[in-house]
Each structure stands twice: as C-alpha cells, then as structure tokens.
Amino acid sequence: MNAKSIAFIVLLATRMATAAQTLETTYRTNGATVQATFESVRAVLQDCSAVIQRGRTEIAYGTVMSADGFILTKASEIGDGNGITVTVGEKVYPDPELVSTDPTWDVTLLKIPASDLKPVSLALDQPDPARGTWVIANGATTRIHRRVQIGIIAATAREIPHEGGPVLGVAFEEKSKKLVVTQVAEKSGAATAGVEKDDVLLRADGEEIASAEVLGDIIGKHHVGDQVTLTVERAGKTMEMKIELKGRVDVFGDNPDEMSRNDMMSGRFSERRSGFPRVIQHDIIADRQRIGGPVLDLDGRCLGMNIARANRAETFAIPASDLKSLADRLISQAK
Amino acid sequence: MTDYSSGLLLGAFTGLLLLFSTQAEAARPYIDDKKAPENRHDLEVIQKHLMDTLPAARKATVCIDLGDGSGSGVVVSPEGLILTAAHVTGGVGKEFTVIFEDGKKVKAESMGVISTTDCAMARITEHGTWPYVEIDRDDSSKLGDWVYSLGHSGGFDKERGVNVRLGRLVQVKDSTVQSDCSLIGGDSGGPLFDLNGKLIGIHSRVGQRTQENMHVPVREFLKNWDALQKSEFVGDGPFAKRPEKGKGFLGIGTEPRAEGGLSVHKVGRESPAEKAGLKAGDVLLKMDGVDLKTKEQFQDLLKEKAPDDRVALELLREGKTETLTLRLGER
C-alpha cells in the first residue's frame, strides 16, 4: 500500500427517489439464506472456533488447536487476558491460562481445561488456496451458536511488512554536534535494550553519528526486526548496545491526524495489522473483535487463522502451514 | 434528478442496446436465476465460473498511476482503450501511467468523461496489443446476479496483485448498480464482472456501510461511447470539474515585433512553455493557425483556453519556422 489512492467519494445523504430494484437482505452474499447453504461448515466452525469475551463483550475469536485445550488467538486484542472467558461449542471456560505470546505473529496461546475438543483440521497437503476459493469464518455470534461469514480468497499470499518503517524509538536533541537522548519510547527496542535519557549517541553500526540525518540514513538501511549496534556514552563511560528496530506504527501507534481516507472508511480495523511474515488474504469483512478464529474451506478444512482486518476490503489470515509450525512451537514450549 | 418510470427507461435502453448486439452470447449461468445457492454443487458452480474467467479479467485490469494518487481501470480493446471513472482521470487529455498486474508500465492519456455519472475513457498511447475483456453489450445483468470486482485497492502492490471480491447485485437503478463486493480507495475506476467474465460496471463510489458499493453500469458508457471516444467533456459534475476557460496558463512574456508576430522575451521557470522548450528570442507567428499581431489579441485567444487544452504555436527560431504543440497549465 505504497501509493496514495484515489479515495471514493463517500455518499452521505443519497436516498434519492429513483426507481430502484433492491435485493432482500436475506439473499445478499452474507444474507441468512445464502449463509444457510454453508450449514455443514458452520457445524465444524461451532466446534473448532472459540469466542473470547470480556464480560459480555466479544473481544476476539480463537482457533482450537488440540483436543486437550490449546487455543490460539490474536494477542493484541486480548491484552493481559484479565477477566476473559472462552466459549468452545456451548461450554464456557472462565479464566483461561495465558501460556505464551509470539510477538512476530501477534498470537497468544491459551489453555483451557478440556480433554475432548475437536481441533481444526489443517489443510497442509495443498498449495496456497487460489483466488476465488470459497472461505468461511466466524460472523456475529451468540453465546452458544456460531454463525458464519462467507467470502473468497482475494489476493496472493505474501509478507506484510511493518507499517511506517524501522525506528530506534528515541527522541534526541543536537547539542554541540552530539545527539543527546531526551526521551525513550516505552514500546521501543531502545527501551528494551536499556537506553536512557541523557545518553549520548556516538556511533551506530560503528559509524560516527554527527547528525540526526546520518543516524536516519543508517536506520533507513535496515528492516524492522534487524539489530543495530549503538555506541553510547553515559556518565563518562562508553558502552555498546544491541537494539532491535521495531515498526514505527508498533512503537508510536497510528497517528489519528494521519489517518488516511481509506482508514476513515474502513470501520473497526485491527490495531495491529502489519508486520506478518506471511498471510493469505480474503474478502470477509470481519470486524476487529471477530479476528482470531479459523478460516475454513467448503470441506471444513482449516486454511488459516484470521489475524487482522486490514481495512474495508482486505482481511489477513495466517496460512495453515505457518499456523501449524507456530502452534507446534508454542505448545511444545508449554509442555 | 428526474424520476423516470422504470418501464419507460427499460424500453429506451433496449432499443439503443440492440445496435450493439453483435457478439455471440455466452449462456447465462443458471445460478443467477436462483434466489440463492441451495447446495454444495451450486456453490462450486459459482466458484468455477469465477476461477475460469478470472485470469483474463486480471490481465486486463490496470492500476492508473497519477503520480500523487492512483485508481484502477480496465482495458476493453486490443488497441488499449481503457474504461475507468471520471473522478479518476479528472478530465480530458490528462497523461498518466498505467500498470498491469505483472508490473508492466505503459503511458496513457484520458479521453472523454461523463461528469454526471462518473464515466471516463482513456487510451494507452504506446504501440502494442493489449490484454482486454469483453463488455456485456447486451446489458444482460439483473438484480441478484453473482458478480466480482477487481481493483488495485490502496494502490499498486506487485506482491499482492489484483484484489478480487465476490458479491451480488443488490440494487439496480438507471445509472448506478450497487453490489456487496466491498471496495476501497484505489479501486475507483476498476471493473465489475459477471460470472461469464464480461464487464458490467465500473467502480464509482461507496457509502459508509460496507454493503454500499456503487458502480456505473456499462450501458452508461455504451450510451455515450462516441462522446467518450471524441474526448468530449459531458455534463457539469459532480465527478469531474469542467476546465474553466481563461484559466489556461502558458507562462511567457511577449513583445510585438515590427515585422509581425510576437517575440518572446521571458519564459517562466517550470512553466508549460519552458517544459515544451520555448526560449527567449523565439518569435511566435501563429497560435492554432491564427496570425498573431498584438499582445492583446494573443491574450484574447488564450482566454478562450482552459487548463490542459492543447495549443499549436508556429514559431520562428534561428530563421526557421517550426510548430510546437503544448498543453496549457492551470493559472
């Protein structure tokens, strides 16, 4: 999404009295009658998806990965997990255990006390699903009844780079040709590495940093996730630190003043919607609080797990093969 | 807008469109005549139609790169005629780059616009034979038909490719059809297809609700085909602003010359004149075939021009006459 795009003219009040034929809601693509044709897949979804609520509010969905209660969900939507409940099938499990989180994929592994869940059947024996393949995911739900939303695979599977490019996450001022740190962003790699206010930045990757421009050039050559070696002077002593570069939006958040017109017409999109190693994309408009559940095909096999509503027209899912290795890794670490 | 009775309009269109009914008809998929799919087979039929026709549709769908923004469009002839939206091209005779899904970039320029209904035509100006799609000239689509929309949502992205969305026609009006294929900025001007892969509409605008996605039906283009091909500006908005006469900008200072014509003594930096290669010392003899005599007369001629209008200047340079054609800027 590099180029600025021509935004549509958004209609405001256009209830014009022209002769129009209108399709009843039930026959629309996600109308009840059309959705009813997907009943066999809905039944699978009923078992292998989890509804995650805080109080009475849905905050995310989950994907059941094992019979003994391991469930994956979207980390940034559930936060510290306080006060959440997980519903699988018709059964409610209060206070699930937050086993671990993978920041790369923005996925959290939950554990509920169960022994006979029906996990997803991952579609691992086939290439990425082609454009036009029917997909089924969680729609609005009730406590006991999962509903479907339907759509198709919309684009080529690919990496979604971090929005905004790499940042060190420090603010500084130039004092007599020296860069002195004035602030360290809480969620930045610099904070994790221990950079402090009043540190003087001397070198990055061994190169002298005489100005903000030079530092910017060095950072700009890197990708999000890379490490930069920073040489810092603190209280007369020189030290070296390895600092992970994070994405600008991940560190500083979306600037509401800079919200694009596309974002403004996109409703509730995911706060974390970039920086995924690989996704498949579909056209189901899953609201932000319905992300984390499985994406199924017509056979009820799992093609992936919804990980972000990017905007009004694009939803991302972790592909089945990546989901498998991610789940295997997190679950084996837990045992 | 006038509230015509639908019966009357239907009659008028049928008459008009018969003129274009020259192509062999692909059978209408049975699924479009069902209220809703009823079983697995029905769903697979929709998917098969979509997947069978998608490759050709993708090849002909282009990103229209305007430099400071982008939209989409679709090639409808092997010579490179493109249909898109008026609010994408913004007017007649504008130059831009067209990008195919495989990343191939070619030069193009806009032709006519219908500013009242958001139609625009453009053409690829480079020589070649281009992948294209067929237009549904029979105007055969109906309420409830299964359709799919393509576009370069949010701008060109080679890794992602063309973005496809499936939906149904949920509302049909005289100059607008609505689908539940969700669209976003960058899709503007992109194509809407029926299950036979025929072009039935061009993406125009959206409502706040995700089900409100409006397309201009191809009949609006067919009805105005001649005007579009002749690069006419039809209507007075709201989708494109008619260029205003008198706002055309050339960017030179001139003095009358005893022997006739006007000599150029100043050329503005970055002006259309400078970009076209006009130099101080050149002598302007004619504009669009009219002999130039006085500064006032030259200014009067220019006042009749609007931004982006083409002007042919016959000039004398180092004893030789040459003709320079340039496009005016905006004052």
Side-chain angles (χ1 to χ4, degrees), chain A residues 45 90 170 314:
Chain A
L45 203 60
E90 298 183 7
V170 296
E314 297 174 298

Side-chain angles (χ1 to χ4, degrees), chain B residues 76-326:
Chain B
V76 294
S77 81
E79 300 80 33
L81 217 52
I82 292 169
L83 299 189
T84 181
H87 79 274
V88 171
T89 63
V92 173
K94 310 244 182 188
E95 289 167 358
F96 46 78
T97 305
V98 152
I99 314 173
F100 285 88
E101 191 184 18
D102 63 5
K104 185 178 173 62
K105 290 184 181 183
V106 292
K107 291 194 169 64
E109 68 171 6
S110 64
M111 299 165 74
V113 298
I114 315 296
S115 70
T116 43
T117 54
D118 210 9
C119 300
M121 190 181 273
R123 64 180 192 95
I124 295 173
T125 47
E126 293 180 26
H127 193 72
T129 305
W130 310 101
Y132 69 102
V133 293
E134 302 255 341
I135 297 172
D136 172 34
R137 292 181 183 276
D138 302 325
D139 196 18
S140 62
S141 59
K142 291 185 182 136
L143 187 74
D145 279 4
W146 288 89
V147 295
Y148 62 95
S149 72
L150 296 188
H152 291 276
S153 319
F156 184 76
D157 182 339
K158 192 168 182 198
E159 303 285 309
R160 176 196 63 192
V162 168
N163 195 13
V164 51
R165 284 133 290 172
L166 179 70
R168 299 189 83 170
L169 292 184
V170 300
Q171 194 171 76
V172 177
K173 286 193 217 173
D174 47 1
S175 64
T176 304
V177 293
Q178 183 184 335
S179 79
D180 51 12
C181 303
S182 52
L183 301 173
I184 196 164
D187 284 320
S188 293
L192 184 72
F193 293 100
D194 65 16
L195 284 184
N196 285 328
K198 284 203 175 176
L199 181 69
I200 61 168
I202 292 293
H203 313 326
S204 170
R205 52 208 185 272
V206 300
Q208 285 291 359
R209 292 185 2 190
T210 50
Q211 285 209 344
E212 293 175 332
N213 305 283
M214 314 298 177
H215 321 261
V216 187
V218 285
R219 81 173 83 89
E220 278 298 310
F221 287 83
L222 296 172
K223 205 166 71 171
N224 295 291
W225 200 263
D226 284 351
L228 289 167
Q229 269 205 311
K230 285 180 190 154
S231 292
E232 290 174 16
F233 191 106
V234 179
D236 281 301
F239 297 106
K241 221 175 88 201
R242 188 182 283 275
E244 263 183 80
K245 271 187 190 174
K247 291 221 167 159
F249 175 62
L250 184 58
I252 53 170
T254 59
E255 281 165 355
R257 204 177 63 130
E259 310 91 301
L262 299 168
S263 73
V264 177
H265 67 85
K266 220 166 92 184
V267 180
R269 258 210 285 168
E270 303 274 308
S271 67
E274 189 195 65
K275 284 178 192 159
L278 266 182
K279 292 189 185 100
D282 288 343
V283 176
L284 302 183
L285 300 174
K286 290 177 183 178
M287 175 175 135
D288 293 341
V290 180
D291 286 327
L292 298 176
K293 290 169 188 145
T294 66
K295 271 173 84 161
E296 291 71 28
Q297 174 229 8
F298 181 44
Q299 276 160 4
D300 285 346
L301 285 172
L302 278 175
K303 270 184 198 153
E304 288 301 303
K305 297 287 172 186
D308 278 323
D309 276 356
R310 276 181 211 266
V311 169
L313 294 173
E314 192 181 305
L315 53 94
L316 191 65
R317 179 182 285 171
E318 291 163 5
K320 285 179 194 159
T321 55
E322 40 186 293
T323 303
L324 208 60
T325 303
L326 57 83

Side-chain angles (χ1 to χ4, degrees), chain A residues 187-203:
Chain A
K187 292 180 181 170
S188 68
T192 312
V195 177
E196 291 175 8
K197 186 172 179 290
D198 297 328
D199 283 355
V200 180
L201 308 179
L202 299 177
R203 288 184 289 278

